[in-house]
């Protein structure tokens, strides 16, 4: 019995598609105003961004990266924020329970660009790198907003002191910052919209 061409294509296409979504990346709609002006600059524009899972596969993020992560407050929600500080950095907080925080090992400090309109580390504290699911690389829709997303930290939010980054070591042709990097817990499904509470 011969399989029709459609079924052969389906049997090959589904695993390839799932692998791409799970390992490489996907496009997601950005909801909310917490990342203004970088994302959703006004109420009439909704940005769609390419989220690269591959870029964070070794839990390596840099200051200024815009990342998607599982919300520490609601594990069923993904949020998108900017990395402001990394492990070892000391950051002046904006309304957190203490005025200065030294970011613990295996964590980062994330904030929305729209200060005061963002549910971020100033509310829930440092975030485990294990919650990071992807890095936003580009705005892909609407066409008038096509652009790469730069990894920059606003001058007013640069950490007071910067911690030392662990030495990178070669690991089968790739580099890893931590030998204890946690799994990001991502499954083969993806949520196609990211909130910016």
């Amino acid at each position: 019995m011969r399989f029709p061409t459609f079924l052969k294509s389906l049997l090959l296409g589904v695993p390839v598609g799932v692998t791409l979504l799970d390992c490489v990346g996907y496009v997601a709609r950005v909801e909310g105003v917490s990342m203004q002006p970088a994302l959703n600059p006004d109420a009439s524009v909704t940005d769609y961004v390419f989220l690269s899972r591959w870029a964070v596969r070794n839990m390596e993020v840099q200051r200024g990266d815009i990342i998607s992560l599982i919300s520490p407050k609601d594990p069923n929600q993904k949020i998108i924020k900017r990395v402001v500080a990394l492990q070892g950095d000391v950051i002046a907080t904006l309304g957190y329970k203490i005025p200065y925080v030294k970011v613990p090992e295996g964590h980062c400090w994330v904030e929305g660009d729209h200060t005061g309109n963002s549910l971020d580390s100033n509310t829930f504290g440092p975030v485990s790198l294990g919650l990071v699911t992807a890095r936003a690389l580009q705005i892909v829709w609407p066409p008038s907003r096509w652009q790469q997303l730069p990894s920059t930290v606003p001058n007013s939010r640069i950490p007071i002191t910067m911690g030392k980054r662990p030495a990178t070591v070669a690991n089968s042709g790739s580099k890893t910052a931590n030998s204890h990097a946690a799994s990001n817990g991502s499954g083969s499904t993806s949520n196609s919209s990211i909130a910016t509470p």
Side-chain angles (χ1 to χ4, degrees), residues 1 9-10 15 24 37 52 64 66 70 93 97 100 116 119 130 145 165 167 169 175 182 187:
M1 179 176 185
S9 298
L10 185 65
V24 177
S52 173
I66 297 176
I70 297 168
T93 65
K97 56 188 173 186
Y100 301 97
L119 183 61
R145 299 242 328 121
R165 295 285 292 169
V169 293
K175 292 186 177 183

Side-chain angles (χ1 to χ4, degrees), residues 29 49 92 139 145 149:
R29 182 181 67 234
V49 295
I139 298 173
R145 299 242 328 121
L149 294 169

Side-chain angles (χ1 to χ4, degrees), residues 103-184:
V103 180
E105 186 174 341
H107 290 71
C108 63
W109 189 269
V110 297
E111 294 181 356
D113 287 355
H114 195 172
T115 306
N117 288 311
S118 178
L119 183 61
D120 54 27
S121 287
N122 288 299
T123 303
F124 44 72
V127 174
S128 170
L129 291 174
L131 295 177
V132 176
T133 59
R135 179 176 163 216
L137 297 179
Q138 293 187 306
I139 298 173
V140 296
W141 194 261
S144 62
R145 299 242 328 121
W146 283 350
Q147 61 184 299
Q148 286 189 331
L149 294 169
S151 291
T152 58
V153 177
N155 288 335
S156 63
R157 299 304 302 142
I158 292 175
I160 295 170
T161 61
M162 295 190 191
K164 293 182 180 178
R165 295 285 292 169
T168 57
V169 293
N171 182 12
S172 302
S174 66
K175 292 186 177 183
T176 179
N178 294 319
S179 59
H180 67 278
S183 167
N184 69 6

Side-chain angles (χ1 to χ4, degrees), residues 26-36 39-40 46-49 51 66-82 110-114 117-121 124 131 133-134 136 190-197:
Y26 60 97
V27 174
R29 182 181 67 234
V30 178
E31 298 174 346
V33 298
S34 75
M35 285 302 294
Q36 285 180 343
L39 300 171
N40 293 350
T46 299
D47 288 335
Y48 288 78
V49 295
L51 295 170
I66 297 176
I67 59 170
S68 166
L69 62 146
I70 297 168
S71 171
K73 291 288 190 188
D74 180 4
N76 295 319
Q77 182 182 30
K78 287 187 182 175
I79 59 176
I80 190 165
K81 302 292 175 199
R82 187 178 301 276
V110 297
E111 294 181 356
D113 287 355
H114 195 172
N117 288 311
S118 178
L119 183 61
D120 54 27
S121 287
F124 44 72
L131 295 177
T133 59
S190 64
N191 184 353
S192 63
S193 75
I194 305 295
T196 62

